[in-house]
Amino acid sequence: MAEKIVMENGKLVVSEQPIIPYIVGDGVGQDIWPSAQRVIDSAVEKAYDGKRSIAWTEVLAGEKAYELTGSSLPEETLSIIKEHLLAIKGPLGTPVGKGHRSLNVALRQELDLYACVRPVRYFKGVPSPLKEPEKTNITIFRENTEDIYAGIEWNAGTEEVAQVISFLQTTMAVNKIRFPETSSIGIKPISEEGSKRLIRSAIDYALKNDLKTVTLVHKGNIQKFTEGGFRKWGYELAQEEFAAELEAGQLVINDIIADNFLQQILLAPEKFDVVALTNLNGDYASDALAAQVGGIGISPGANINYQTGHAIFEATHGTAPDIAGQNKANPSSVLLSACMMLDYMGWTEAASLIVAALERAFAQKQVTVDFAKALNVDSLSTSQFAEVLLAEL
């Protein structure tokens, strides 16, 4: 019997047939989700001899939601995900410079999914610009709800921005707004609570997975109280809550300036295990690291609230409208995100089967068009690639 996943005493309780909402997504979402779902279902069936299965339920967001309901993010979608704790989604589009703000950001804000978790690793056979991409094996913990992604900003020339600038100049004695008549203004909130809960999750993850080093990535040399606060609060948290692990040598906390971090992940990525970053820095670093191991087409992502149990697992790439509906897109990102979901549920055996199937497919150069040219091989369609994975399973 299908049942909701629930949180009891700080732990997920998952039945043999959990109900999991999914969002197909915009653009290539229509191509990758059906193939990915077949692979996920097959892995679960094989791992547990048919005794477990997922009861999928579709919820709407993005273009399909707007066409059917007049809203890009219906309240019903938020309500269902809140009720069922977990969800998985394809890519959702965001217009630049106009229209609604990012639906991805809206989902994270509405559900308080404060940790964006992205494990970045290399799969043998995947084309990479690095000579030794296998040295990159880093898990990113990006704060998800604060920083400039809070969306607190006012457009140049508006009455609102004039009020903000007047307050800054007259009340706060700010004299460094060089061109006040044509400036837009944004606010960057970084809190002790928001920083500590993110860094705590990163440390818990490192200890759980026998990873020793957690690195705080920040721009505290310039932004003393926001980025600098993130660094300061991270060290305080480690001393307050993980003193025994620090003393025993199980855990090492260090920090690095964000621009130097972007150099070091190219020069010596093996120095990093788990990294904790503020929201904007985490956005930059996530895509930069993904490029080192083959691109965001194979990069998984999860947005998690470890306190409430809520989590959305997602394809991290864009909607790729130029190839949407053509059965060309690589479903690996959403598949690896599904593996993160299965691990989060405690269904690690099924996740391991999918990862192993992907490893064998890549090693045999059975790839979609995004990798085929670089490998000088014929490309597989989305559905053909799924068939390869099903055969490997």
Side-chain angles (χ1 to χ4, degrees), residues 126-129 287 289-300 316-317 333 371:
V126 171
S128 164
D287 281 14
L289 277 165
Q292 295 184 195
V293 297
I296 55 176
I298 60 164
S299 297
T316 61
H317 53 74
S333 177
F371 295 153

Side-chain angles (χ1 to χ4, degrees), residues 48-369:
Y48 307 110
D49 296 322
K51 295 176 182 176
R52 293 181 181 177
S53 62
I54 295 172
W56 300 105
T57 182
E58 183 177 5
V59 293
L60 302 177
E63 295 171 5
K64 185 175 181 180
Y66 190 81
E67 290 172 5
L68 294 176
T69 70
S71 170
S72 297
L73 186 57
E75 282 298 322
E76 184 183 13
T77 294
L78 288 171
S79 176
I80 290 172
I81 295 174
K82 285 178 182 177
E83 186 180 351
H84 292 80
L85 293 186
L86 308 190
I88 187 167
K89 58 177 279 297
L92 293 173
T94 302
V96 177
K98 60 181 181 179
H100 62 260
R101 290 188 181 275
S102 168
L103 294 175
N104 296 319
V105 172
L107 284 165
R108 296 165 193 169
Q109 293 278 356
E110 288 291 332
L111 297 167
D112 196 24
L113 306 176
Y114 62 82
C116 179
V117 185
R118 293 195 181 181
V120 181
R121 56 154 291 190
Y122 178 68
F123 287 88
K124 185 177 179 181
V126 171
S128 164
L130 299 190
K131 291 181 179 178
E132 298 176 298
E134 65 279 359
K135 289 184 176 181
T136 302
N137 193 349
I138 301 171
T139 300
I140 297 166
F141 272 73
R142 167 191 171 195
E143 203 290 316
N144 236 354
T145 63
E146 299 190 310
D147 204 347
I148 64 167
Y149 286 82
I152 308 169
E153 61 175 350
W154 299 272
N155 197 12
T158 62
E159 182 180 343
E160 291 82 4
V161 83
Q163 292 175 7
V164 174
I165 291 173
S166 175
F167 169 76
L168 291 172
Q169 292 178 329
T170 59
T171 304
M172 303 301 292
V174 171
N175 59 10
K176 295 181 180 178
I177 304 175
R178 190 173 297 273
F179 304 108
E181 296 301 321
T182 59
S183 289
S184 296
I185 297 290
I187 302 294
K188 176 190 176 83
I190 301 282
S191 70
E192 179 178 354
E193 292 89 344
S195 299
K196 283 188 172 181
R197 68 178 183 174
L198 181 279
I199 295 165
R200 180 184 298 111
S201 297
I203 294 173
D204 284 338
Y205 177 93
L207 293 171
K208 181 180 178 182
N209 290 278
D210 296 320
L211 299 170
K212 188 175 183 179
T213 304
V214 176
T215 302
L216 310 175
V217 182
H218 61 92
K219 194 64 179 169
N221 56 331
I222 302 299
Q223 299 172 69
K224 308 290 186 183
F225 307 120
T226 50
E227 299 278 334
F230 181 83
R231 172 188 180 275
K232 170 176 170 285
W233 295 321
Y235 279 116
E236 287 178 357
L237 172 80
Q239 289 296 337
E240 291 164 0
E241 300 184 17
F242 299 95
E245 289 83 357
L246 290 167
E247 180 68 25
Q250 292 176 262
L251 175 67
V252 173
I253 304 292
N254 58 28
D255 72 278
I256 188 170
I257 301 297
D259 45 341
N260 187 24
F261 175 69
L262 292 174
Q263 292 185 69
Q264 294 304 315
I265 58 175
L266 290 171
L267 300 173
E270 67 275 12
K271 294 196 305 186
F272 304 99
D273 294 329
V274 178
V275 294
L277 311 94
T278 53
N279 206 332
L280 182 60
N281 290 332
D283 196 3
Y284 297 148
S286 296
D287 281 14
L289 277 165
Q292 295 184 195
V293 297
I296 55 176
I298 60 164
S299 297
N303 303 285
I304 302 173
N305 184 319
Y306 288 96
Q307 297 166 344
T308 66
H310 287 97
I312 296 179
F313 301 83
E314 63 183 357
T316 61
H317 53 74
T319 58
D322 55 321
I323 61 168
Q326 298 178 34
N327 196 25
K328 290 182 178 180
N330 188 343
S332 298
S333 177
V334 76
L335 275 171
L336 288 167
S337 298
C339 291
M340 293 181 71
M341 181 183 74
L342 293 167
D343 281 333
Y344 188 68
M345 293 161 53
W347 292 15
T348 56
E349 299 85 357
S352 296
L353 286 178
I354 296 173
V355 170
L358 285 166
E359 287 174 337
R360 291 192 292 271
F362 292 141
Q364 296 164 17
K365 298 184 179 181
Q366 301 277 348
V367 295
T368 45
V369 67

